[in-house]
């Protein structure tokens, strides 16, 4: 259950009334004669009246902003409370379902308890298939166990000073086999412990647990689940155990009368007593008839799904140990001659756009690992900065929609939220310091070609951008002071930028508009489809003040300077037509303005 607690209303400077001028501070200055004194008094009174009117106008404007921000804050509070109430209602519904012995609610509750546990070491799998027998009050589940390589084959490493080498001491195979059996028994006991500990409603009279590994049956060679342990434990028998004192293997086989493979290192199987599909209710599992939501999937399960996809595409793929993965989630090997080789894969289960830094990190990881290619798989998408950086490098970016398509094409299943759509990000509290300026213009861009473009803006001094934060683009929708920001476009415009020229930083003397091919929408396009372009200059009421013509795009170019507004000595901003094109896309363009692209 989430607490109904929201951030308090914090209007900042808007809470401070504008100070009114003090008439006693406006005394007449000078005047040796009566007429001069009268003139000085009139002048002081006029100054006071002017300052009072200005202060009253500023106070009226402050109150309007404060009221508007209060309304905005209240809307955000209402949305937050509604989300909390919806979440808590779902928790209550599941709890009530468990109390009524509803199979779906029981399975959701107990699998959530296992997935949310922090007791499992990094690298241990947590795949599960489960069903609930309400009549017997029994949870039946198949639980994945770690493979034999979880126990290191090396016992110790010692540095030899004389030869400047590391000497490895192998672990005796008998010791390794004993440790592995101990690990499997401990895993089985931990699953039982967490299930019974989570059973606050008394829904579990017993648990039928089967532990498996993925592998090839040594007798048939066919891939599948190989069961290495099984147990059916009642609540009463488990409650009488003192787990801190038991030998795990003896406890599992003796006190609980379960079975543990005699040679799990050789995948010698045991026969499960009861499987989830034997219960008769719907079995909840990864890869079941219901499309799993990739957003809600356990991170370990999601990495395993990506590894399954690479294997389905004809590659060798394994997930890595989390404690020492070096930034790699899946190691893959493409056996195809010439174009194949080692592939490192990073998996990002994001809802928002993957930042370009993640793509740069992947490039460094791939180079450090000596890989032929780096692949970044996400449930969200990538911005133009990511694509421009990846262009020409041995990197491949797979967005959420592409991932779902690949899964379906290779016999796997997955969806992105309800109906395959990405869920909306959680609302964030409004910031009074980033409201629209008082006096601003909207620059609406339109063109007749079919090419999709990202329109960006740079706040510059001369030909150098003030800072990276003054480059407004897909992943940075506004400058720190809010004087420039991207807006949703309204027809007939295809892109829109809001700018308050009077509120730009004092050192800024140039405001540059640029456009670049959206590599996600048009990976092979150039600017030859950018024609009949113009900028509409609009006031806050969206009334058109004028039009500025822009040069057409040219073949082979993928980025273009549309034009720039330049500050003149008179204080006015004058538009200067651009037209310089770049074949290296947005990455090459922004480098000319001082932005470093790693």
């Amino acid at each position: 259950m989430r607490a109904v607690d929201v951030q308090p209303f914090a209007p900042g400077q808007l809470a401070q009334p504008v100070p009114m001028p003090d008439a006693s501070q406006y005394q007449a200055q000078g005047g040796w004669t009566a007429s001069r004194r009268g003139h000085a008094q009139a002048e002081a009174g006029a100054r006071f009246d002017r300052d009072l009117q200005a202060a009253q106008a500023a106070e009226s404007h402050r109150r309007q902003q404060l009221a508007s921000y209060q309304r905005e804050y209240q809307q955000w509070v209402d949305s937050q409370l509604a989300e909390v109430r919806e979440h808590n209602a779902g928790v209550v519904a599941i709890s009530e379902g468990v109390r009524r012995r509803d199979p779906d609610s029981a399975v959701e509750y107990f699998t959530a308890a296992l997935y949310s546990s922090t007791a499992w070491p990094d690298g241990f799998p947590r795949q599960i298939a489960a069903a609930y027998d309400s009549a017997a009050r029994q949870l039946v589940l198949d639980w994945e166990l770690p493979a034999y390589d979880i126990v290191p084959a090396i016992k110790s490493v010692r540095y030899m000073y004389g030869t400047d080498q590391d000497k490895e001491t192998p672990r005796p195979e008998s010791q390794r086999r004993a440790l592995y059996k101990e690990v499997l028994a401990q895993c089985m006991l931990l699953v039982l412990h967490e299930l019974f500990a989570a059973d606050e409603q008394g829904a579990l009279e017993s648990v039928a647990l089967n532990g498996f590994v993925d592998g090839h049956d040594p007798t048939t060679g066919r891939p599948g689940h190989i069961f290495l342990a099984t147990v059916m434990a009642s609540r009463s028998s488990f409650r009488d155990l003192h787990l801190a004192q038991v030998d795990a293997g003896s406890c599992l086989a003796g006190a609980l009368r379960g079975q543990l493979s005699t040679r799990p290192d050789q995948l010698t199987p045991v026969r499960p007593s009861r499987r989830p599909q034997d219960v008769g209710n719907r079995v909840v599992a990864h890869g079941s008839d219901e499309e799993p939501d990739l957003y809600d999937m356990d991170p370990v399960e999601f990495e395993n799904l990506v590894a399954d996809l690479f294997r389905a595409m004809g590659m060798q793929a394994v997930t890595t140990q989390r404690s020492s993965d070096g930034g790699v989630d899946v190691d893959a090997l493409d056996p195809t001659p010439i174009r194949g080789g080692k592939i490192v894969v990073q998996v990002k289960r994001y809802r928002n756009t993957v930042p370009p830094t993640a793509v740069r990190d992947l490039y460094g990881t791939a180079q450090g690992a000596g890989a032929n290619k780096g692949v970044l798989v996400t449930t969200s998408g990538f911005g133009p900065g990511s694509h421009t950086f990846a262009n020409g490098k041995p990197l491949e970016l797979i967005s959420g929609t592409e991932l779902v398509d690949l899964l379906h094409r290779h016999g796997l299943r997955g969806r992105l939220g309800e109906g395959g759509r990405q869920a909306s990000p959680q609302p964030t509290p409004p910031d009074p310091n980033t409201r629209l300026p008082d006096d601003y213009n909207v620059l609406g861009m339109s063109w007749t070609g079919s090419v999709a473009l990202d329109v960006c803006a740079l706040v510059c001094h001369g030909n150098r951008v003030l800072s990276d934060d003054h480059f407004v683009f897909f992943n940075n929708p506004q400058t720190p002071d809010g004087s420039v920001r991207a807006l949703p476009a309204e027809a007939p415009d295809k892109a829109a930028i809001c700018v308050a020229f009077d509120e730009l930083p004092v050192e800024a003397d140039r405001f540059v508009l640029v456009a670049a091919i959206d590599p996600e929408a048009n990976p092979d396009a150039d600017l030859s489809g950018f024609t009949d372009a113009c900028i509409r200059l609009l006031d806050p009421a969206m009334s058109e003040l004028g039009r500025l013509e822009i040069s057409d795009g040219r073949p082979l170019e993928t980025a273009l300077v549309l034009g720039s507004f330049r500050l003149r000595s008179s204080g006015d901003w004058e538009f200067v037509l651009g037209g310089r094109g770049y074949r290296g896309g947005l990455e090459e363009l922004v480098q000319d303005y001082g932005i470093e692209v790693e």
Side-chain angles (χ1 to χ4, degrees):
M1 299 286 282
R2 296 181 186 173
V4 183
D5 183 25
V6 295
Q7 297 178 24
F9 181 62
Q13 292 297 320
L14 291 179
Q16 305 300 321
V18 176
M20 294 294 121
D22 184 356
S24 64
Q25 302 298 318
Y26 290 77
Q27 300 297 323
Q29 301 295 323
W32 293 94
T33 65
S35 62
R36 286 186 176 273
R37 283 196 299 273
H39 180 74
Q41 289 172 349
E43 187 179 67
R47 281 191 292 110
F48 173 74
D49 290 340
R50 284 198 307 271
D51 291 350
L52 179 61
Q53 291 178 0
Q56 289 173 336
E59 173 63 10
S60 176
H61 181 64
R62 180 194 71 85
R63 291 179 178 178
Q64 291 176 357
Q65 283 190 311
L66 181 61
S68 176
Y69 179 50
Q70 283 177 318
R71 290 192 297 271
E72 203 171 308
Y73 170 79
Q74 191 57 50
Q75 291 174 355
W76 173 76
V77 168
D78 293 342
S79 67
Q80 287 287 90
L81 294 180
E83 196 275 333
V84 169
R85 285 192 291 266
E86 181 180 0
H87 170 83
N88 289 346
V91 172
V92 171
I94 291 177
S95 299
E96 283 295 308
V98 174
R99 186 183 61 79
R100 297 193 315 268
R101 313 290 185 258
D102 173 64
D104 287 346
S105 298
V107 168
E108 183 171 357
Y109 176 80
F110 288 109
T111 55
L114 292 173
Y115 277 140
S116 63
S117 169
T118 59
W120 297 90
D122 288 341
F124 273 52
R126 276 189 280 178
Q127 289 194 56
I128 188 172
Y132 180 69
D133 185 341
S134 55
R137 292 166 58 190
Q138 183 180 75
L139 185 70
V140 184
L141 68 158
D142 294 344
W143 179 263
E144 186 178 11
L145 298 171
Y148 185 49
D149 60 7
I150 201 70
V151 181
I154 303 301
K155 182 179 181 179
S156 64
V157 179
R158 186 175 63 175
Y159 175 69
M160 307 297 293
Y161 180 80
T163 59
D164 190 26
Q165 292 180 336
D166 291 331
K167 181 180 179 181
E168 295 180 346
T169 301
R171 188 183 305 277
E173 276 302 313
S174 59
Q175 183 187 77
R176 194 180 180 198
R177 288 194 297 268
L179 284 172
Y180 185 51
K181 291 186 70 172
E182 178 76 9
V183 166
L184 299 186
Q186 288 187 24
C187 287
M188 297 290 284
L189 294 181
L190 180 55
V191 172
L192 294 172
H193 166 70
E194 294 196 325
L195 290 174
F196 285 122
D199 185 21
E200 300 175 354
Q201 301 276 17
L204 296 183
E205 180 61 34
S206 63
V207 173
L209 173 62
N210 309 303
F212 70 90
V213 295
D214 281 330
H216 290 77
D217 188 327
T219 60
T220 65
R222 295 167 59 183
H225 291 346
I226 300 174
F227 291 92
L228 301 180
T230 185
V231 64
M232 188 174 292
S234 66
R235 171 191 289 277
S236 58
S237 62
F238 197 81
R239 185 177 54 205
D240 293 337
L241 299 176
H242 296 279
L243 291 180
Q245 307 298 324
V246 304
D247 173 78
S250 300
C251 177
L252 181 68
L256 298 178
R257 298 185 179 181
Q259 285 183 279
L260 183 62
S261 170
T262 55
R263 289 297 300 270
D265 56 304
Q266 295 183 359
L267 302 183
T268 302
V270 299
R271 182 182 296 277
S273 57
R274 194 181 192 192
R275 297 288 309 284
Q277 51 265 42
D278 299 333
V279 176
N281 297 319
R282 183 171 64 91
V283 177
V284 177
H286 167 63
S288 65
D289 291 337
E290 182 183 1
E291 288 277 295
D293 186 350
L294 302 183
Y295 292 128
D296 294 337
M297 190 175 286
D298 177 80
V300 176
E301 185 182 2
F302 184 52
E303 291 175 9
N304 288 325
L305 176 60
V306 173
D308 288 343
L309 173 61
F310 276 77
R311 286 191 286 265
M313 296 169 70
M315 306 181 202
Q316 302 170 20
V318 293
T319 55
T320 60
Q321 297 283 345
R322 289 196 164 194
S323 58
S324 57
D325 61 15
V328 178
D329 298 315
V330 176
D331 271 323
L333 180 65
D334 185 351
T336 307
I338 302 177
R339 67 176 175 84
K342 181 178 180 180
I343 301 172
V344 295
V345 185
Q346 287 184 348
V347 178
K348 304 290 185 184
R349 198 165 57 95
Y350 286 0
R351 289 182 182 269
N352 297 322
T353 303
V354 176
T357 52
V359 183
R360 298 189 187 110
D361 291 344
L362 171 63
Y363 185 52
T365 300
Q367 287 185 313
N372 294 57
K373 179 187 287 189
V375 180
L376 185 53
V377 181
T378 184
T379 49
S380 58
F382 304 90
S386 297
H387 285 286
T388 53
F389 178 81
N391 186 33
K393 299 181 178 68
L395 299 176
E396 188 163 344
L397 309 181
I398 299 178
S399 66
T401 53
E402 292 172 315
L403 173 60
V404 170
D405 180 61
L406 285 170
L407 290 172
H408 290 174
R409 278 195 281 157
H410 290 87
L412 300 170
R413 305 177 71 81
R415 59 183 172 88
L416 296 173
E418 293 299 326
R421 295 186 299 274
Q422 181 171 341
S424 301
Q426 294 297 317
T428 55
D431 185 350
N433 298 318
T434 59
R435 298 177 55 77
L436 285 174
D438 300 329
D439 184 17
Y440 63 89
N441 292 106
V442 174
L443 306 175
M445 266 90 27
S446 63
W447 56 92
T448 59
S450 59
V451 65
L453 297 177
D454 290 316
V455 176
C456 315
L458 300 102
V459 182
C460 302
H461 178 74
N463 288 324
R464 310 295 289 182
V465 68
L466 299 185
S467 73
D468 287 358
D469 290 335
H470 289 87
F471 172 36
V472 175
F473 69 114
F474 185 84
N475 281 330
N476 182 43
Q478 68 176 40
T479 55
D481 58 5
S483 59
V484 181
R485 68 190 67 191
L487 294 179
E490 297 183 6
D493 300 322
K494 296 182 178 179
I497 297 286
C498 167
V499 54
F501 287 104
D502 291 341
E503 297 190 20
L504 292 174
V506 292
E507 63 270 31
D509 61 6
R510 191 167 299 183
F511 178 70
V512 184
L513 291 173
V514 304
I517 292 290
D518 181 350
E520 194 165 315
N522 302 109
D524 301 319
D526 59 19
L527 287 172
S528 57
F530 181 69
T531 56
D532 298 327
C534 76
I535 299 175
R536 295 196 308 144
L537 187 63
L538 309 169
D539 65 14
M542 301 303 286
S543 299
E544 187 172 318
L545 303 177
R547 291 194 174 211
L548 308 169
E549 300 300 324
I550 305 174
S551 300
D552 289 343
R554 292 178 289 272
L556 303 182
E557 293 178 353
T558 54
L560 174 71
V561 177
L562 304 177
S564 61
F565 291 85
R566 302 185 182 185
L567 181 63
R568 299 306 183 193
S569 57
S570 62
D572 294 331
W573 291 82
E574 180 182 7
F575 182 73
V576 177
L577 181 65
R580 181 176 179 183
Y582 295 80
R583 296 191 177 190
L586 189 61
E587 178 179 352
E588 181 185 358
L589 186 153
V590 298
Q591 286 177 332
D592 271 0
Y593 287 89
I595 293 179
E596 295 185 3
V597 179
E598 299 177 3

